[in-house]
């Protein structure tokens, strides 16, 4: 049996999601007797629904290899969640119809928890419709919130970016604090979980080292305690570095970023949480501050990706194909830690049905008792994930990222309107 | 004649100012018959005024060598401007007194335009007080606004950081634009000059490439024209990347960042310009946006420093000492471009009196006619400055930056209160 494969990227992209694509395509190319062409979804799953697919066989081996060091989503990704089977069976039927029209027997879906749920439902639907498609999920999310796997490809590189940036900015602030900025705030991603903020904690080893305060979404914001910590840090070390999760909340559940501030027209100001924290520092302590918002820079910073993360991203792509060829279905490769120091890991698998819609939260014992830092256990977990550098090649001073030809696959079905 | 040297860092630090310190100290150590010890000012010039100096001779050769790859100001810098000689003669007299007490015959001042002025005045004062001190300025500023020199050490690395970050974030936004963020805004430094924002322009080569819009402090903000550009970019390419200088102003001279927005308490909101531009995009075009504020990350990002910049920062430190030993006084080393492609440069010198208080603006022919991009001439100027990578060593996944011992020099004068 030989069939084509369909690969799609889902949700927020990362600096290493293309490394997973590289793992899928390179591995598929090694098994041409079983896997025909690898088609990629233009803009993720929408590419299947709209029958807008990309023929990756038109890309040279060098171009595919270059995916390993290229951030972003090479075929386009999408924030598009398929509804439940009962609510929107037509969409699943359409998917299967497109797969059928293009002789697609393998579906590789590269995303987070929602996407694993979708992949699982596609597997179910393909059984029901008696058009067997092997459905394999490939983990990806900077949020690091998928269960079972030691970490999620994409997270380690964000963690490294945040730890390095915190360390570097802290050196800047420390050197100027006597006559300039005393409090520096770095806003990082993490709406529900503080994994990324926690990574900032790797920048320092002792209480004197930055960051002096980390604000987690898991810990309700205690303004008096926070201000006391900032004040003490400035008194003791001359300055204070704060890493704040975008998802930090007031005790009543409101996001800090939703500070009820209004613009000149009376509209609610959509501000970053860093600006809110800075304003609290200014108004309550009168200290000079600066803040940075890493935003997309953190999850696209392939130039400072963690070597471990790149290797794992590639490995889950490769293993996804190997699992499919070994007859597995409705599973997701996971990373299993076999040792922390030195970090050793292997790839296993878990049923998609067990992954779907389950979030891995930060354990409370990873956050310091006072809520403002990370524990030794957290450090032991995180440290291996930022190991190693995996620099992209450069040309004319800039990373030489690949732009694929992205040749479309000719449509075979009548057009329909999606969305 | 043998005398000690005093080295001080001034103003905002950069990712390569310590490379200049490295150049000064390593070169001084090669001439022990002429230069005794190199003392560094703790917190810049304040270290001299307060007689708080650091004995760099207590540092190992390895520690001094590591300054070359360590960002921030290793001895502390200061935003502290000495007033004119007529207004504050006492401060200059105090400096000379401290120099005299510690047998300091060389003064190396590493900073921007103001610092060059100060170094020049110290030279003048030392002549008047008949205690000859050789005063050499060492250029440093991410603002790239010193005259005569081809570029200012510190700028090339910020330029590289901004170009790389723009390119990476653009790949992220492009892959998600169909279903998510359409407009991404990156705020960069540059209160008076658009050099740093211009560097963002290196990320792309064609009009389709990001950044699609650059907002310069030199060009009054034209809101309708800006909105038309954003709209066209989203229509043509699916997304729009904007790089905005913090110093971008309304036609009436007000900073965009000063948008007259109020917080819930009626206080003027101190917001970044990125938030203001984002709000304009949201309210006028209704497009989904994200923004990043690079802030100190851009000028401390030693992990992605430009090799050219590091080499030049070291060279101006080295040459400062060599000029002093050759009998020069009241000069600043400058970088002279002898060829753009390939980039070739040498070090010359200019009189401090000619540098002091003169700003190099961006030439108008470096900014596109429509005010939203850079020209080929600008590209030709900027491209060489971001060439090459000069990665720091890593340990446990983080750059291995040096922390010096910073051993104090015993005081010899009665304490006085400064500031």
């Amino acid at each position: 049996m030989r069939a084509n494969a369909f690969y799609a990227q889902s949700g927020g992209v990362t600096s290493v999601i293309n490394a997973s694509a590289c793992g899928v395509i390179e591995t598929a190319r090694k098994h041409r007797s079983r896997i025909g062409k690898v088609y990629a979804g233009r803009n993720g799953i929408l590419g299947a629904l709209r029958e807008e697919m990309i023929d990756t066989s038109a890309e040279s081996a060098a171009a595919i290899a270059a995916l390993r060091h290229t951030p972003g989503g090479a075929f386009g990704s999408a924030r598009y969640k398929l509804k439940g089977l009962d609510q929107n069976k037509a969409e699943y039927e359409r998917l299967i119809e497109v797969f059928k029209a293009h002789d697609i027997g393998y579906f590789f879906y590269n995303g987070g928890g929602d996407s694993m749920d979708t992949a699982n439902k596609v597997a179910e639907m393909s059984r029901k419709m008696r058009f067997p498609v092997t459905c394999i999920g490939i983990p990806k999310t900077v949020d690091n919130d998928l269960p079972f796997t030691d970490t999620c490809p994409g997270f380690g590189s964000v963690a490294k970016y945040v730890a390095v940036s915190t360390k570097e900015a802290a050196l800047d602030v420390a050197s100027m604090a006597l006559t300039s900025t005393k409090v520096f705030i770095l806003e990082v991603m993490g709406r529900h979980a503080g994994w990324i903020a926690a990574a900032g904690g790797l920048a320092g080893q002792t209480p004197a080292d930055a960051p002096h305060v980390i604000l987690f979404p898991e810990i309700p914001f205690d303004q008096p305690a926070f201000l006391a910590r900032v004040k003490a840090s400035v008194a003791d070390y001359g300055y204070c570095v704060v890493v704040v999760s975008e998802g930090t909340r007031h005790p009543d559940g409101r996001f800090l970023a939703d500070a009820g501030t209004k613009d000149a027209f009376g509209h609610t100001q959509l501000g970053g949480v860093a600006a809110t924290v800075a304003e609290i520092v200014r108004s309550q302590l009168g200290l000079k501050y600066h803040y940075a918002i890493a935003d997309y820079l953190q999850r696209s910073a392939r130039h400072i990706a963690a070597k471990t993360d790149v290797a794992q991203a590639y490995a889950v792509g490769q293993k996804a194909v190997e699992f499919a060829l070994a007859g597995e279905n409705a599973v997701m490769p996971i990373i299993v830690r076999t040792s922390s120091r030195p970090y050793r890991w292997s790839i296993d698998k878990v049923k998609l049905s067990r992954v779907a819609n389950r979030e891995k939260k930060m354990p409370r014992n990873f956050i310091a008792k006072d809520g403002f830092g990370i524990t030794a256990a957290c450090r032991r977990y995180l440290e291996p994930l930022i190991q190693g550098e995996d620099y992209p090649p450069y040309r004319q001073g800039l990373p030489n990222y690949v732009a694929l030809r992205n040749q479309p696959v000719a449509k075979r079905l009548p057009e329909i309107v999606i969305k």
Side-chain angles (χ1 to χ4, degrees), chain A residues 99-169:
Chain A
F99 287 178
K100 214 184 266 184
H102 293 275
D103 191 24
I104 288 166
Y106 305 94
F107 173 36
F108 299 104
Y109 203 24
N110 202 171
D114 283 353
S115 309
M116 298 307 116
D117 184 44
T118 300
N120 195 41
K121 284 178 179 138
V122 173
E124 196 182 326
M125 199 64 186
S126 86
R127 267 194 309 274
K128 279 189 190 157
M129 290 175 69
R130 295 177 195 280
F131 179 77
V133 177
T134 299
C135 297
I136 313 281
I138 303 172
K140 171 250 43 166
T141 170
V142 298
D143 295 334
N144 203 36
D145 61 357
L146 290 172
F148 303 106
T149 186
D150 184 51
T151 183
C152 303
F155 170 69
S157 295
V158 177
K160 189 180 185 90
Y161 173 94
V162 169
V164 170
S165 298
T166 301
K167 183 167 180 163
E168 291 180 330

Side-chain angles (χ1 to χ4, degrees), chain A residues 163-180:
Chain A
V164 170
S165 298
T166 301
K167 183 167 180 163
E168 291 180 330
L171 286 174
D172 186 305
V173 178
S175 23
M176 303 288 301
L178 184 69
T179 56
S180 184

Side-chain angles (χ1 to χ4, degrees), chain A residues 8 35 47 54 63 71 116 192-193 200 212 222 231 273 329 340 366 400 407:
Chain A
I35 300 175
I54 291 159
M116 298 307 116
H192 305 294
H212 308 97
D222 178 343
K231 220 173 144 176
V273 64
N329 189 13
S340 274
F366 274 23
N400 195 9
Q407 187 178 293

Side-chain angles (χ1 to χ4, degrees), chain A residues 287-408:
Chain A
L287 293 169
K288 181 166 155 70
Y289 65 80
H290 257 242
Y291 61 85
I293 303 181
D295 196 59
Y296 290 154
L297 304 193
Q298 68 201 289
R299 73 176 197 197
S300 61
R302 182 62 185 79
H303 74 271
I304 188 68
K307 193 181 188 101
T308 305
D309 190 34
V310 177
Q312 292 179 336
Y314 185 90
V316 293
Q318 176 190 339
K319 279 289 185 177
V321 175
E322 291 175 359
F323 285 144
L325 293 175
E328 297 287 346
N329 189 13
V331 298
M332 176 186 92
I334 56 170
I335 296 149
V336 179
R337 181 183 300 219
T338 53
S339 152
S340 274
R341 290 178 185 169
Y343 188 44
R344 289 206 188 90
W345 52 276
S346 59
I347 302 284
D348 199 352
K349 58 186 181 297
V350 67
K351 279 275 161 205
L352 286 176
S353 57
R354 298 185 64 202
V355 182
N357 302 317
R358 266 187 61 183
E359 258 182 24
K360 183 172 74 180
K361 295 265 177 197
M362 250 185 99
R364 183 59 182 86
N365 75 337
F366 274 23
I367 301 176
K369 252 195 191 129
D370 65 12
F372 292 129
I374 60 170
T375 61
C378 184
R379 190 177 291 276
R380 206 154 41 239
Y381 166 71
L382 288 174
E383 254 173 5
L385 309 181
I386 67 165
Q387 296 305 306
E389 295 69 53
D390 190 87
Y391 299 121
Y394 278 69
R395 221 178 116 234
Q396 295 291 344
L398 288 168
N400 195 9
Y401 296 139
V402 70
L404 299 182
R405 300 172 55 193
N406 282 352
Q407 187 178 293

Side-chain angles (χ1 to χ4, degrees), chain A residues 12-247:
Chain A
V13 293
T14 76
S15 63
V16 302
I17 187 172
N18 288 334
S20 293
C22 179
V24 167
I25 298 168
E26 288 190 342
T27 310
R29 286 185 176 190
K30 284 184 189 149
H31 297 91
R32 292 191 202 264
S33 63
R34 308 274 308 278
I35 300 175
K37 293 185 168 189
V38 178
Y39 296 146
R42 188 181 294 277
N43 301 306
I45 198 72
L46 286 172
L49 293 170
R50 296 176 173 181
E51 207 193 352
E52 291 173 356
M53 295 191 295
I54 291 159
D55 184 357
T56 69
S57 75
E59 310 292 342
S60 68
I64 296 301
L67 285 177
R68 193 181 165 115
H69 65 247
T70 298
F75 314 105
S77 184
R79 292 208 181 283
Y80 186 83
K81 191 181 174 181
L82 275 78
K83 296 202 189 68
L85 272 178
D86 41 344
Q87 292 160 270
N88 201 350
K89 210 176 143 193
E91 244 175 17
Y92 291 90
E93 286 171 349
R94 165 74 181 175
L95 269 184
I96 303 293
E97 209 182 324
V98 171
F99 287 178
K100 214 184 266 184
H102 293 275
D103 191 24
I104 288 166
Y106 305 94
F107 173 36
F108 299 104
Y109 203 24
N110 202 171
D114 283 353
S115 309
M116 298 307 116
D117 184 44
T118 300
N120 195 41
K121 284 178 179 138
V122 173
E124 196 182 326
M125 199 64 186
S126 86
R127 267 194 309 274
K128 279 189 190 157
M129 290 175 69
R130 295 177 195 280
F131 179 77
V133 177
T134 299
C135 297
I136 313 281
I138 303 172
K140 171 250 43 166
T141 170
V142 298
D143 295 334
N144 203 36
D145 61 357
L146 290 172
F148 303 106
T149 186
D150 184 51
T151 183
C152 303
F155 170 69
S157 295
V158 177
K160 189 180 185 90
Y161 173 94
V162 169
V164 170
S165 298
T166 301
K167 183 167 180 163
E168 291 180 330
L171 286 174
D172 186 305
V173 178
S175 23
M176 303 288 301
L178 184 69
T179 56
S180 184
T181 298
K182 300 248 184 317
V183 181
F184 174 71
I185 300 150
L186 173 62
E187 174 177 330
V188 301
M189 287 181 165
R191 206 132 263 255
H192 305 294
W195 291 110
I196 296 177
L202 295 178
Q205 297 282 349
T206 74
D209 297 339
H212 308 97
V213 182
I214 302 175
L215 298 175
F216 299 95
E218 288 87 350
I219 307 291
F221 181 64
D222 178 343
Q223 183 165 321
F226 166 73
L227 289 169
R229 278 295 289 261
V230 172
K231 220 173 144 176
S233 175
V234 172
D236 293 348
Y237 317 121
Y239 71 111
C240 181
V241 170
V242 180
V243 176
V244 57
S245 272
E246 59 180 342

Side-chain angles (χ1 to χ4, degrees), chain A residues 244-257:
Chain A
V244 57
S245 272
E246 59 180 342
T248 304
R249 290 161 184 269
H250 289 289
D252 65 7
R254 279 180 304 123
F255 285 118
L256 252 70

